[in-house]
Amino acid sequence: MIDGSLPRLEFWCDLQCPDCRTALDDVRALRAQYGDALPVELRHFPLEKHKQAYAAAEAAEEAFAQGLGWPFVEALLARVEELDARGQQVLLDVAREVGADVEEVDTALVDGRHMLTVDADQAEGKAIGVTGTPTYVIGGRRLDGGQSQDGLRERIVAVIEAAHAS
């Protein structure tokens, strides 16, 4: 554990992406290693090829608004194949499982209250060169995990350690 402030880790994610599900293991390991000293922020980058990814991002934002964002994200990423097969009903099922207000999640999907957040994330991601998921940004460095996640956690740790040493 490192004391003091660490650079923020942005986890650019498509919530229907099997690679993002795998990347979640790295995020968990980093949280275990650094605890609350490492701020981790989910950033949405729904890909067009995943038809439920945009709605999933909106539902996740509602779960974050209810204080249940990370449990929702983790539970949803565990079910990416089911999300593909069953659609938005899975979003409501996951919300129920993590204790979110399902009616509010459903209403958020209808009224689009989180569209601006998802759109802003997507636009910012494109502006900084995110082209796929998962992608990490830490200490001003973009690390693309869409091609291979091999060694990514070690590279993130190296950036953290360098930032803490300076």
Side-chain angles (χ1 to χ4, degrees):
M1 173 80 83
I2 292 181
D3 293 327
S5 65
L6 297 176
R8 176 179 60 158
L9 175 65
E10 295 179 0
F11 176 40
W12 292 83
C13 182
D14 171 319
L15 293 172
Q16 196 177 345
C17 171
D19 290 336
C20 289
R21 172 181 50 207
T22 304
L24 195 55
D25 290 338
D26 284 339
V27 172
R28 285 185 191 115
L30 291 164
R31 283 184 160 159
Q33 184 172 353
Y34 296 106
D36 292 338
L38 178 67
V40 179
E41 181 181 359
L42 180 73
R43 302 299 301 271
H44 299 290
F45 202 78
L47 302 171
E48 286 186 28
K49 68 181 179 179
H50 295 135
K51 301 303 178 202
Q52 301 300 322
Y54 192 93
E58 289 182 286
E61 280 303 306
E62 180 56 33
F64 275 106
Q66 295 181 30
L68 296 164
W70 281 109
F72 180 89
V73 165
E74 292 197 22
L76 185 58
L77 282 171
R79 296 167 71 171
V80 293
E81 291 85 2
E82 187 180 354
L83 178 60
D84 186 46
R86 292 185 49 230
Q88 290 190 16
Q89 183 57 47
V90 174
L91 303 174
L92 302 178
D93 291 348
V94 169
R96 185 175 297 105
E97 290 166 15
V98 300
D101 182 331
V102 178
E103 286 185 30
E104 278 303 306
V105 172
D106 190 35
T107 301
L109 291 170
V110 173
D111 70 17
R113 68 181 75 160
H114 300 292
M115 286 176 66
L116 289 176
T117 300
V118 177
D119 288 348
D121 274 5
Q122 214 166 20
E124 183 179 337
K126 287 177 182 175
I128 64 170
V130 175
T131 57
T133 60
T135 296
Y136 302 93
V137 175
I138 185 162
R141 294 189 56 201
R142 188 182 74 243
L143 305 171
D144 181 8
Q147 298 301 320
S148 172
Q149 295 176 57
D150 293 339
L152 265 183
R153 186 183 328 160
E154 293 78 13
R155 289 170 45 205
I156 292 168
V157 167
V159 171
I160 292 169
E161 299 294 338
H164 187 68
S166 60

